[in-house]
Amino acid sequence: KYFDYQLKVLNVSSKHNNILISSPTGTGKTIAGFLPSIFDITKNSYNAKLHTVYISPLKSLAKDIKRSISIPINQMKMNISLDIRTGDTSSYNKNKIKKKPPNFLITTPESFALMMSYENSESYFSDLRFLIIDELHNLIHTKRGDLLSLNMTRVSSFSPEIKKIGISATIKNKKEALNYLSNNNSGIIIESNVKKDRKS
């Protein structure tokens, strides 16, 4: 069973290229961010392409995020590949991801920047449909956030139809956060006051 705000994210994703999700910790906000990706990839054929990049400033959460997203994927028996690319990833796995990208990639701003420096970065990211940025409050007004903003602009030039979803439990200035995602304050803010203890 999904919360109303999670279903709202899914419903409005076809109409808005930029979405800010503001929901307390433990209310399924990460799942909410991935729902449009899961729906889109099952509706279309992206078996051998990079479809969604999830970025978190906290690489320590990568395994938890992968585990969390794998649950609905496995429950619905979907053929979606999922992998992690951070500074802790082995050289072997980095090369594997470079040669054959997963459908969903979990990474950090720094690793994303390195991937954007690849000679084939334009073709590598050309079919990217979603860019999900978690813990957005930890990136705005920081050097890491500035670097990510530059690469968001660049990847948008590779894939003009890309949809950007920002996620935060504690963001204060929501319009500013939406502007960080879109550069022109376009998009929609979806808030939740759910208190139920549920893993995000």
Side-chain angles (χ1 to χ4, degrees):
K1 183 179 179 180
Y2 293 102
F3 293 125
D4 289 343
Y5 89 92
Q6 293 174 318
L7 296 177
K8 184 177 181 180
V9 171
L10 177 59
N11 290 334
V12 305
S13 64
S14 62
K15 302 175 183 177
H16 296 278
N17 283 346
N18 302 289
I19 301 173
L20 174 65
I21 300 171
S22 176
S23 187
T25 299
T27 58
K29 61 187 184 297
T30 302
I31 293 293
F34 269 97
L35 276 179
S37 292
I38 293 172
F39 179 81
D40 184 73
I41 201 171
T42 55
K43 183 180 178 182
N44 300 287
S45 178
Y46 290 91
N47 290 339
K49 300 177 181 179
L50 180 61
H51 179 277
T52 298
V53 170
Y54 165 95
I55 297 175
S56 172
L58 307 173
K59 66 179 179 180
S60 59
L61 293 180
K63 290 183 179 179
D64 289 338
I65 296 301
K66 183 179 180 181
R67 188 181 307 112
S68 177
I69 300 306
S70 294
I71 292 174
I73 289 175
N74 293 333
Q75 285 178 341
M76 290 184 274
K77 298 180 180 180
M78 293 179 289
N79 184 26
I80 298 176
S81 56
L82 178 65
D83 215 334
I84 298 171
R85 205 286 190 193
T86 69
D88 294 335
T89 304
S90 69
S91 296
Y92 172 81
N93 282 335
K94 287 178 182 177
N95 287 328
K96 183 180 72 171
I97 290 169
K98 185 176 181 179
K99 293 178 181 178
K100 186 178 180 181
N103 299 134
F104 292 175
L105 180 66
I106 298 167
T107 189
T108 61
E110 291 77 15
S111 289
F112 181 55
L114 286 172
M115 296 178 74
M116 288 294 292
S117 71
Y118 291 166
E119 289 184 6
N120 68 332
S121 60
E122 183 170 358
S123 60
Y124 191 90
F125 291 102
S126 63
D127 293 301
L128 190 67
R129 296 284 294 163
F130 289 87
L131 185 65
I132 304 170
I133 305 168
D134 207 349
E135 305 291 340
L136 196 59
H137 55 278
N138 281 333
L139 291 168
I140 296 177
H141 302 309
T142 69
K143 290 183 179 180
R144 300 177 79 199
D146 292 342
L147 174 65
L148 179 57
S149 180
L150 289 172
N151 283 308
M152 281 198 297
T153 300
R154 188 159 179 249
V155 81
S156 294
S157 71
F158 298 162
S159 184
E161 299 301 316
I162 191 173
K163 296 179 183 293
K164 289 172 281 185
I165 299 176
I167 304 173
S168 178
T170 61
I171 202 79
K172 293 182 179 179
N173 191 330
K174 296 178 179 63
K175 288 187 177 180
E176 180 184 51
L178 188 61
N179 186 56
Y180 174 83
L181 291 174
S182 63
N183 295 323
N184 59 7
N185 212 21
S186 66
I188 187 170
I189 298 170
I190 296 179
E191 299 184 65
S192 166
N193 293 317
V194 176
K195 301 297 183 182
K196 183 177 179 180
D197 182 19
R198 176 172 174 174
K199 187 176 180 180
S200 63

